[in-house]
Amino acid sequence: MDLGIIGQAAGLFAVTNIDDILILALFFAQGAGHPGSTRRIVLGQYMGFSAVLAVAVAAAFGATFLPESAVPYLGLLPLALGLKAAWQAWKDHQDGSADDDEEQAREGGPSPLEVAAVTFANGGDNIGVYVPVFATAGLGGMTLYVVVFLVLVAVWCFAGKFFATRPVIAKALARWGHILLPLVLITIGLLILIEGGAFGL
């Protein structure tokens, strides 16, 4: 077991996924009080990040599932989810619909697919960083990177849950989370689109 590669993998994961902790905290706050929400958020995070890793590994082997020109358009996923969350928050504020409250209570906050979509879209730029690292690490090194990354996803989920349940942070997220979540998702979506030059931006 190469401790050097493990350290490099941990450092690379941390710098490319630091923003995910905020997003996870917002998701955990949204799911607070809903049975099973933690499991759904963790599942969604693993689904989304596994998809990022699958594309990066495939690209490192030379099979490009996702053309480079398509990556910026991943920004449409968090943008759409952010607009949906903003619309839902506005609608709830306007009419306080009991039906929506009941529906959200049944769903238990964000679904695994919503979390996965945001994680995958937000990880689009990670793919560009991971591919050359994986390609030069060889099969053994790449496997070690993937294992370390998947272990650290659990650490990130724990950190997001930890921050979302601190009394001061939890109170702020409970009060402002319905505004912050759509704002963060829309911002991430726009940044991915703009930085990638989508639609000639």
Side-chain angles (χ1 to χ4, degrees), residues 5-198:
I5 290 183
I6 291 173
Q8 288 168 20
L12 182 62
F13 181 90
V15 298
T16 54
N17 292 286
I18 196 71
D19 52 342
D20 277 1
I21 292 180
L22 171 63
I23 298 166
L24 280 166
L26 288 166
F27 278 139
F28 281 119
Q30 189 184 24
H34 298 289
S37 66
T38 297
R39 181 172 41 83
R40 284 188 284 276
I41 293 165
V42 171
L43 175 64
Q45 185 70 6
Y46 266 103
M47 285 166 56
F49 196 76
S50 295
V52 169
L53 286 178
V55 172
V57 168
F61 280 122
T64 51
F65 290 148
L66 205 61
E68 198 174 320
S69 59
V71 171
Y73 295 94
L74 289 175
L76 292 171
L77 288 171
L79 181 61
L81 288 170
L83 290 171
K84 179 189 167 200
W87 169 251
Q88 190 64 51
W90 181 80
K91 210 166 85 171
D92 290 347
H93 178 73
Q94 289 298 309
D95 57 22
S97 169
D99 292 341
D100 289 340
D101 290 343
E102 285 169 17
E103 185 182 334
Q104 194 168 12
R106 282 199 306 274
E107 290 176 356
S111 72
L113 285 177
E114 286 177 332
V115 177
V118 172
T119 303
F120 183 70
N122 197 35
D125 54 342
N126 295 15
I127 294 168
V129 177
Y130 296 162
V131 170
V133 174
F134 287 177
T136 55
L139 185 59
M142 189 192 306
T143 304
L144 200 51
Y145 268 99
V146 169
V147 170
V148 171
F149 283 4
L150 291 175
V151 169
L152 288 176
V153 168
V155 174
W156 248 234
C157 288
F158 176 81
K161 175 87 172 178
F162 176 82
F163 287 124
T165 54
R166 295 309 90 199
V168 174
I169 299 172
K171 191 176 176 185
L173 290 177
R175 185 171 181 185
W176 300 105
H178 66 289
I179 295 170
L180 277 176
L181 181 64
L183 193 61
V184 168
L185 293 179
I186 290 168
T187 302
I188 288 170
L190 289 174
L191 283 173
I192 293 170
L193 289 168
I194 293 166
E195 287 176 5

